Each structure stands twice: as structure tokens, then as C-alpha cells.
Amino acid sequence: MANQRMQAYYDVLHRTPKPISFDGKISEIFGENVFHMEVMREYLPSEAYKSMKKAIHDGTRLDRTMADQVASSMKDWAISKGATHYTHWFQPLTGATAEKHDAFFKPVGPGKAIERFDGDLLVQQEPDASSFPHGGIRNTFEARGYTAWDPSSPAFVIGKTLCIPTIFISYTGEALDYKMPLLRALHEVDSAAVAVCNYFDKNVNKVSATLGWEQEYFLVDKALYNARPDLMMTGRALFGHISAKGQQLDDHYFGSIPERVSAFMRDFETEAIRLGIPVTTRHNEVAPNQFECAPIFEECNLANDHNLLLMDLLEKIARKHDFRVLLHEKPFAGVNGSGKHNNWSLSTNTGVNLLAPGKNPKSNLQFLTFFVNTIKAIHDNSDLLRAAIAGAGNDHRLGANEAPPAIISAFIGSQLTSLLDKIEKNVKAGKMTPEDKTELKLNIGKIPQILLDNTDRNRTSPFAFTGNKFEFRAVGSSANCASAMIVLNTIMAKQLKTFKKEVDARIKKGDGKDEAILKELQKLIKESKKIRFEGNGYGEEWVKEAKKRGLSNLKDTPRALAVWGNKDFVKLFDEMNVLSPRELAARQEIEFENYIMKIQIEARVIGEMVQNFILPAAVNYQNKLMENVKGLIDVLGPKNGKVAAKAQIDVIERVSEHINKMKDLADEMRVARKKANNIADIEKRAIAYCDMVKVHFDAIRYNSDKLELLVDDEEWRLPKFREMLFTR
Ligand code: ADP
Ligand code: MG
């Protein structure tokens, strides 16, 4: 073979679909690798079972005896599934999940051993965690971190390991992960929402946030992936001219799924189903070789664990099928990137979805209450939501005419808009007449009908109401959903608490309950109006309009992250017991650091590829052309030879031009990187990486992509976009 790329392409062309490992009935294997309530009922003594149920429902702690019993049953169950090891499974701030495996096996004397796992080992562990990000919380002298069991998410077996979902905290009890603050936020929104629900129904004593995520990803054959250092090191193609055909024909979305891909999907879905992840939807996405997987929604903490597990499964199973999965938000410039829609709602122990319109004016007033409060929460904290989805990868997506813009706004549809307008106009200050009330009730009563024919879905809005839930669309495909969910549930909890206080005050002053609620809603509708936008979020006009309205447009990660430092936000998180000022500051530092590292790695890979892949290919080809020109001159004489070699000489000159420009820019970038590295302040360093280092990427790429078009196809060493996007 001429080069690595040719060899890789040859490999791909000769691949056949791998056989799938399970072809039985899916319903029979659902949750079979999960230590869920039904299994617990079977394995646990009844007292322990009851304690577990209570722990899951109320978030209470299990005492030592109960923990021992649960641990022992869990071990027996896991061993019956073939497990030999156990691990505390946690979510450090690296973004990935972490695990350290220990064996059940324990020698107890010469030639003697037992399988051991007790409450201590279940409840708490002390992983050697000094190498996880901690943002200064954990100094080396107190380098210990603890993982602690989260009974609300069931343990599961993967391969030969029992995995126990845990939180990860420092020696001093501060959160070093995503799960801990998520649980705190869910707890806050639970109590705040219950209090508001009790205006309408005294039987409500628990409100759970629900999350239904939709995971987008790309597949690339492993041979092509391995021939691209940029994909391997950074998850995205840092070079590459877009292929002649991209997604213009819109022929991939919902198209038939290729056989090799379909075998892969069947396999990973089977594993997901075994782990109790209710995956139901799969389809092709907009870009070639882009796909999506979505489960039925679940309680938020569980749904998030399931998403993390699924991302892990995608990678593992893809390898078995000779694919690599790309979870990066923008692996290929020029075609769509990948997101992870977070569908979110609140649901009561009485089975009511609080963001679904009800059947009568009373339940509709409840719906309206939660609906309007959500919009107000978004309005007051849009910058926090923006910060929650910030990341180097997502910067390529947000506002890039394919994904929702970096400007946070909410879409609610024309019908609800007109209803909110009516409430804004018709709720009277002072005492309302019976006629006023009837008129309003009539309007509120109409909600269910109007939503049924409310089909005007707006795909360009970052935060859209879709009939019975809000859909947060700006989340990146590689993100831990918790990042967005922590913020969303915290700001909702805060808003509901304020709402309750205000309504109670109005009632105290003599308003009836419904009247007090309506008047407060009217106030919130007025105050939050500017966050509502029904138009095209991708248009230039919206950028101008949003600016006029005073909405932020935080275009890149360093600017977005800066808002974690705002006094009001620091206070909000502290007040809601979700993140202390120290925890928040640590998180901000870690995110800045992550950003810097990612851009730094990309810059290094770009430098290497320019020098070791692109330049040599261009020079080799130029040499070939020069041989040819020399030959023509030899044969035809200098004058005629030059005339005959006109095209070749032109290419030689253009190749030189691009090589020189590319090399100069790469050198400039290196100098800029060195300068940035010398900046002590981490926020300023992140900004320098964004404004001084990253700015070179596109210009360098432009020259390389021109070379790709000029250079002989056989000389080019990096798999091309048409190969990565259209072969499978
Ligand atoms: P799409 O965005 O692809 O058009 P939908 O709008 O139909 O898809 O969204 C479907 C997603 O919304 C599914 O993942 C589903 O589980 C989730 N979903 C539906 N109801 C709720 C709810 N009450 N809470 C959270 N997620 C929900
Ligand atoms: Mg969606």
C-alpha cells in the first residue's frame, strides 16, 4: 500500500458486519444485571428491604446492620451473575466515570479464602484520588477523598464487576463530583415543588425531576480513526476539506440504517437493556455516519447514571464491531455536530406531570404555575444555564447555524404565548370581580385542547416547551447531563421558594388562593418576558434583537465560565445548599483548566500534524512535479518545456505558498501558546488560549485543506472526509 491512509481505506472496504451476540426477546432481559427493587425483595430480609425502600424514597441513611445485610445480599446476587470484583462507580469532574476494582476474594489462612463484602465496603471507600481534579479543595496533605454509596441508584453488574453508584467527596465533605450536587439540587427542587403543589393537592409529598436525554454520536471505522492522530488525541478532525457531498441532499436523516451499524446498535442496546436502561429509539441523524439513541425518560439522577453508562457502553461495544464512536460535539467541520437534548420535567408521587396541562381549570392552574415559574427561573439565571453547557467542544456548535445559539431564550409556542398575554392583561390589581375570574378560568380551562394542535415546534430554540416538558437543546453530546441538571433544578427550586413566599404574603393580605397565584403569575410573566423568543434562533436578526433586549451572548467557554464568579450566583448556590462558595470556585477553576488543556492539546496536535503529515505529503508531491517539469525541459528545451509544464509549475507555486503560510502560522501559534502558558491567572490564561492560540486553528487548517485539494490523492496520508463520513 502507498501509505497508511490507503491501507486503512482498503481495510474498511473489506469489512463485514459482525454477528450480534443476542437474538432473543428483549423484554426477557430487561434489567437482568441490575440489583433493582424486585431483586432486593427476593434477596433481602424484609426489614432490610423496608429500610432500603425508605432510603431510596427519602434519601435517609442506612444504619450499619442494615448496610451489612444489603451488602451481603448484593454480593450473593452479584456472584450469582458471575461477578468476582466490586467497584465504587463515581463521576469525578474529568467528565468521564471512574472505577477501581477490588476482589470479593479474601485469603483467611493457608490455602483458605472466602468471598467477603460487608456494609463498610458498600457504604464508603477511600480511593487513592489525588489525581482527580479538585480545584484546590484537596491539598496534598489532606489528599484523601471518599466515595459514598448512593442507594437511590441501583447497583449493577458489568462483565465480572459489581458496580455501586457513589458520590465522591473530599475528606472535608466537599463535593468533588457531579452526583453530589445533583442529589442536593434534586432534594431542593423536591421540597420547593411539594410546597407549591400543596396549594392544589395536599396528597403530594414528593416531587421528582425527570430527565429524558437524546444522545447523538458519530461512528468511524477503527482503521480510519487510527490513521487520524487528531481523532485519536482530540476526538475531532482538526484538518480535512469537506467532501464534495456532505449533508446537502438530506438523505441520511431517518434513512435506512446500514447493516454493520445496525448490528452494532443491536449489540449495545442489548447490553443497555440488561442494565435497565430503557433505550427505545434509534435513528440516523442529519450528518452522514451520525446517529442517535434515546431511552424513555426516568428520574433525573437515575437517568443521568444511565446516560453515563450508555456512553461507556457505546465506546466498548463499538470496538467489538471495529468502529470508534465519536462523542465530541463537532468532529467534522462542515456537517452537523452532536448534541444531547435534555428533556426535563417534574413529576409528583401522585403520578402528575407538573408540566403537562391537566383536565380541568384547577390542574391547569397548577400546570401554569410550574410553567411560568420555569420561564422566570430561566429568565433570571440564563447566564448560569449558559455556563452549565460551556466546553471547548460545544463552542463549535453553539450559534454555528445548526445548533441553538449561545443566547439563552425560551420557546413556548403561539398558543401559550397568547394565553400568557391574556393573563398579563386581564388579571386585575386589587379585588377581582367574579366575571374577571370566570373569564380567566375559561381561558385556563382551554389549555389541553390548544396544546394538542400546537404543532409549531421550533428547532432553533435552546430551551423549548414541547407540550409536556421543556427540552434543553444546547447541551453538548459529550457532557455529563448533571452539569445542566444541577443548574436547572437549583434555579427552579429557588424560584418556587420565592413564589411560595410571595403567594403566601398575598394570601395574608386578603387575596383568595387562586387570585393570589394568578396575580403572582402575572407579575412573573411581565418580569420574564424578554427571555421568550418564538422566532428563528439561527438568524442574524435574533443576535441583534437579543442585544436590544439585553440578553447575554456569551460566545465562548472562558466568557461563559466567568459568570460562576458573580456574587448573586455564588449566593444562590450557597443558599440552596447545592454548592458552597468554595465548591463553586473549585468547579470554575477545574472547568477553566479543562478548557485550557483541551485547546493546548489541539494546538500541539495541529503543530505535529503540520510538520509530520501535511508538509511531507505536500513536499513529496511537489518533488514529483519538479521531476516532471525538469524532464519536460530536458526533452523539449527550456522554452517549450516551460510552456508544456504550465499547470505543474502553477501547482508547484501554490503548494509552496500554502506550505509557507501554514508553517508561519503554526510558528506564530507556538509563540502565542508559550505566552499564554506564562499567565498566572487561570481565567486570563483561558481567555488567552481562546483569543490568541485557538484563533490560529482555522487559518492553519485553511491552508492545509487547500493543500489536500492540490496534492495527489495517493500522497495524502490522512483519511479524507468522504472516507470517514461515507464508508462503514
Ligand atoms: P425529538 O426531540 O427527537 O423530537 P421528543 O420531543 O419526542 O423527541 O422527545 C422525546 C424525549 O423526551 C424522550 O427521550 C422522552 O423520554 C422524553 N420525555 C418525554 N416526556 C418526558 C418527561 N415528562 N420528562 C422528561 N423527559 C420526557
Ligand atoms: Mg429532542
Side-chain angles (χ1 to χ4, degrees):
M1 284 298 151
N3 62 35
Q4 197 184 0
R5 165 175 158 250
M6 293 297 193
Q7 177 64 50
Y9 193 48
Y10 178 87
D11 289 349
V12 180
L13 293 180
H14 290 80
R15 285 220 205 286
T16 50
K18 286 268 191 305
I20 51 174
S21 55
F22 176 79
D23 207 12
K25 214 164 152 192
I26 288 289
S27 60
E28 277 165 14
I29 58 167
F30 182 61
E32 73 173 17
N33 290 345
V34 184
F35 194 62
H36 51 64
M37 283 320 286
E38 278 311 299
V39 187
M40 281 186 225
R41 196 204 294 278
E42 186 186 325
Y43 274 79
L44 288 178
S46 85
E47 204 188 336
Y49 175 72
K50 276 189 212 133
S51 309
M52 261 313 275
K53 252 177 103 171
K54 193 163 150 48
I56 293 169
H57 187 271
D58 309 338
T60 47
R61 285 175 75 99
L62 239 56
D63 69 34
R64 179 57 214 267
T65 341
M66 290 302 132
D68 274 342
Q69 291 188 10
V70 174
S72 159
S73 308
M74 209 184 255
K75 179 197 69 187
D76 292 346
W77 169 80
I79 290 174
S80 81
K81 293 271 156 202
T84 55
H85 287 65
Y86 63 90
T87 180
H88 274 195
W89 183 77
F90 60 104
Q91 306 169 21
L93 294 165
T94 48
T97 52
E99 47 198 82
K100 172 189 156 234
H101 297 198
D102 287 298
F104 289 125
F105 165 85
K106 189 169 186 252
V108 286
K112 265 201 185 155
I114 53 163
E115 246 89 46
R116 195 183 85 105
F117 185 61
D118 58 27
D120 272 353
L121 298 174
L122 167 66
V123 172
Q124 191 170 306
Q125 299 256 308
E126 196 180 314
D128 173 24
S130 49
S131 47
F132 291 108
H134 52 81
I137 278 188
R138 219 170 54 247
N139 300 323
T140 34
F141 63 84
E142 48 174 66
R144 278 179 295 173
Y146 288 113
T147 53
W149 181 34
D150 165 22
S152 65
S153 182
F156 50 90
V157 168
I158 291 190
K160 293 195 168 300
T161 306
L162 167 68
C163 301
I164 298 151
T166 56
I167 55 166
F168 180 41
I169 52 178
S170 71
Y171 180 58
T172 45
E174 285 153 310
L176 294 171
D177 70 346
Y178 287 102
K179 193 188 253 289
M180 180 77 209
L182 178 62
L183 290 172
R184 291 173 182 161
L186 293 172
H187 177 73
E188 289 300 315
V189 83
D190 175 7
S191 61
V194 165
V196 172
C197 281
N198 287 160
Y199 283 135
F200 306 94
D201 181 356
K202 293 282 180 220
N203 295 318
V204 173
N205 57 31
K206 168 118 181 140
V207 171
S208 308
T210 51
L211 166 64
W213 43 264
E214 303 165 58
Q215 178 73 52
E216 294 182 334
Y217 60 92
F218 278 85
L219 285 177
V220 180
D221 187 273
K222 79 165 185 199
L224 298 170
Y225 175 94
N226 288 335
R228 293 280 316 210
D230 45 0
L231 285 189
M232 287 178 75
M233 297 291 121
T234 72
R236 77 177 179 110
L238 298 167
F239 297 96
H241 199 279
I242 182 69
S243 42
K245 176 177 183 283
Q247 60 192 43
Q248 308 92 322
L249 301 177
D250 281 333
D251 51 357
H252 191 252
Y253 194 55
F254 284 19
S256 76
I257 298 171
E259 213 185 324
R260 237 186 109 198
V261 175
S262 157
F264 154 72
M265 284 180 171
R266 293 275 305 269
D267 253 10
F268 93 72
E269 283 170 5
T270 302
E271 288 315 307
I273 292 283
R274 286 194 164 114
L275 288 167
I277 309 173
V279 284
T280 48
T281 308
R282 57 161 99 120
H283 60 76
N284 289 359
E285 261 304 325
V286 175
N289 271 353
Q290 190 189 26
F291 305 91
E292 181 184 297
C293 161
I296 294 167
F297 70 94
E298 299 174 287
E299 185 281 320
C300 186
N301 175 41
L302 182 62
N304 189 45
D305 282 359
H306 280 170
N307 178 247
L308 291 163
L309 257 178
L310 183 112
M311 290 200 283
D312 211 37
L313 276 184
L314 278 174
E315 307 228 353
K316 279 188 189 137
I317 309 291
R319 282 169 190 267
K320 285 195 185 163
H321 289 259
D322 297 327
F323 282 122
R324 287 291 182 276
V325 63
L326 304 178
L327 291 170
H328 193 283
E329 282 76 13
K330 190 76 180 177
F332 302 107
V335 296
N336 271 15
S338 300
K340 177 151 56 196
H341 295 176
N342 277 204
N343 296 275
W344 170 86
S345 189
L346 294 171
S347 145
T348 68
N349 59 305
T350 54
V352 174
N353 174 357
L354 293 169
L355 288 172
K359 292 198 177 66
N360 50 45
K362 187 175 140 199
S363 53
N364 272 339
L365 186 58
Q366 177 172 274
F367 156 71
L368 253 158
T369 297
F370 281 90
F371 178 73
V372 171
N373 273 291
T374 310
I375 293 170
K376 172 68 169 151
I378 302 306
H379 171 271
D380 290 0
N381 304 286
S382 56
D383 284 354
L384 272 188
L385 273 183
R386 170 65 185 96
I389 50 160
N394 221 10
D395 278 359
H396 296 284
R397 247 181 104 235
L398 298 180
N401 261 2
E402 53 158 292
I407 307 163
I408 301 288
S409 66
F411 166 88
I412 61 170
S414 56
Q415 318 269 16
L416 282 165
T417 301
S418 95
L419 180 66
L420 295 197
D421 288 348
K422 280 191 188 127
I423 295 174
E424 185 181 345
K425 267 214 312 275
N426 298 348
V427 175
K428 303 272 160 37
K431 254 312 179 233
M432 283 166 78
T433 65
E435 290 77 43
D436 291 338
K437 286 188 194 166
T438 315
E439 161 77 16
L440 270 169
K441 278 207 172 137
L442 218 67
N443 280 320
I444 292 168
K446 276 191 213 141
I447 302 172
Q449 295 116 281
I450 56 182
L451 280 192
L452 280 182
D453 18 274
N454 179 7
T455 48
D456 52 348
R457 278 194 157 206
N458 184 332
R459 294 258 156 213
T460 65
S461 174
F463 199 82
F465 184 70
T466 53
N468 56 1
K469 61 193 180 288
F470 276 96
E471 183 168 359
F472 191 18
R473 301 218 180 90
V475 181
S477 49
S478 69
N480 183 323
C481 303
S483 201
M485 288 297 118
I486 290 166
V487 169
L488 190 52
N489 290 297
T490 303
I491 62 178
M492 189 61 180
K494 163 78 182 167
Q495 176 53 37
L496 289 171
K497 282 198 168 132
T498 312
F499 177 78
K500 173 86 171 52
K501 216 169 88 197
E502 297 295 320
V503 171
D504 284 350
R506 285 179 194 271
I507 293 173
K508 225 177 188 171
K509 277 192 201 143
D511 278 343
K513 192 178 68 186
D514 287 2
E515 203 172 335
I517 291 174
L518 277 168
K519 282 181 184 167
E520 188 58 26
L521 290 181
Q522 179 191 42
K523 181 170 149 255
L524 301 185
I525 290 168
K526 281 185 187 157
E527 287 171 358
S528 62
K529 220 168 168 181
K530 75 167 192 283
I531 203 74
R532 274 156 48 198
F533 178 62
E534 302 289 303
N536 176 15
Y538 294 175
E540 257 316 296
E541 301 82 60
W542 172 226
V543 179
K544 284 189 208 131
E545 161 77 16
K547 196 167 175 191
K548 250 197 247 152
R549 292 190 189 185
L551 297 176
S552 322
N553 184 2
L554 303 168
K555 283 195 184 133
D556 52 62
T557 296
R559 268 79 180 186
L561 290 177
V563 309
W564 292 116
N566 290 2
K567 274 203 320 288
D568 291 345
F569 292 145
V570 176
K571 192 163 148 244
L572 166 72
F573 277 110
D574 196 24
E575 216 178 80
M576 302 306 293
N577 302 312
V578 173
L579 289 168
S580 71
R582 210 163 98 104
E583 288 173 321
L584 189 62
R587 226 152 266 257
Q588 186 190 33
E589 189 183 314
I590 291 165
E591 290 290 341
F592 277 133
E593 184 75 22
N594 273 346
Y595 178 82
I596 292 167
M597 288 303 152
K598 283 196 174 145
I599 303 295
Q600 188 178 68
I601 292 169
E602 288 190 347
R604 284 185 182 147
V605 174
I606 287 173
E608 243 175 76
M609 287 173 76
V610 160
Q611 197 68 34
N612 304 343
F613 284 77
I614 296 155
L615 205 137
V619 169
N620 281 353
Y621 178 52
Q622 208 178 29
N623 282 341
K624 254 198 215 171
L625 291 174
M626 288 188 304
E627 279 302 304
N628 174 272
V629 174
K630 272 192 234 150
L632 286 170
I633 288 170
D634 268 358
V635 175
L636 304 173
K639 205 162 158 233
N640 290 344
K642 270 191 189 148
V643 173
K646 184 166 161 282
Q648 293 87 315
I649 293 170
D650 177 51
V651 175
I652 289 169
E653 284 170 355
R654 280 158 67 195
V655 166
S656 282
E657 192 189 315
H658 290 302
I659 288 179
N660 288 327
K661 277 195 188 144
M662 184 176 66
K663 187 67 177 51
D664 287 348
L665 286 163
D667 289 342
E668 275 173 39
M669 180 174 73
R670 195 173 323 109
V671 174
R673 208 168 73 220
K674 290 218 169 100
K675 262 197 200 144
N677 288 341
N678 284 329
I679 301 174
D681 181 85
I682 195 155
E683 179 173 345
K684 291 198 180 113
R685 191 156 76 244
I687 290 175
Y689 260 93
C690 181
D691 296 356
M692 287 155 57
V693 179
K694 194 177 147 234
V695 282
H696 289 92
F697 291 5
D698 282 348
I700 294 173
R701 179 181 191 145
Y702 171 82
N703 286 290
S704 162
D705 291 357
K706 287 282 172 202
L707 286 169
E708 183 184 325
L709 294 182
L710 286 170
V711 171
D712 180 0
D713 190 60
E714 280 198 21
E715 286 290 348
W716 201 253
R717 302 167 183 204
L718 299 166
K720 295 186 172 180
F721 270 38
R722 66 163 182 270
E723 291 151 357
M724 293 188 287
L725 289 170
F726 289 94
T727 50
R728 55 214 159 201

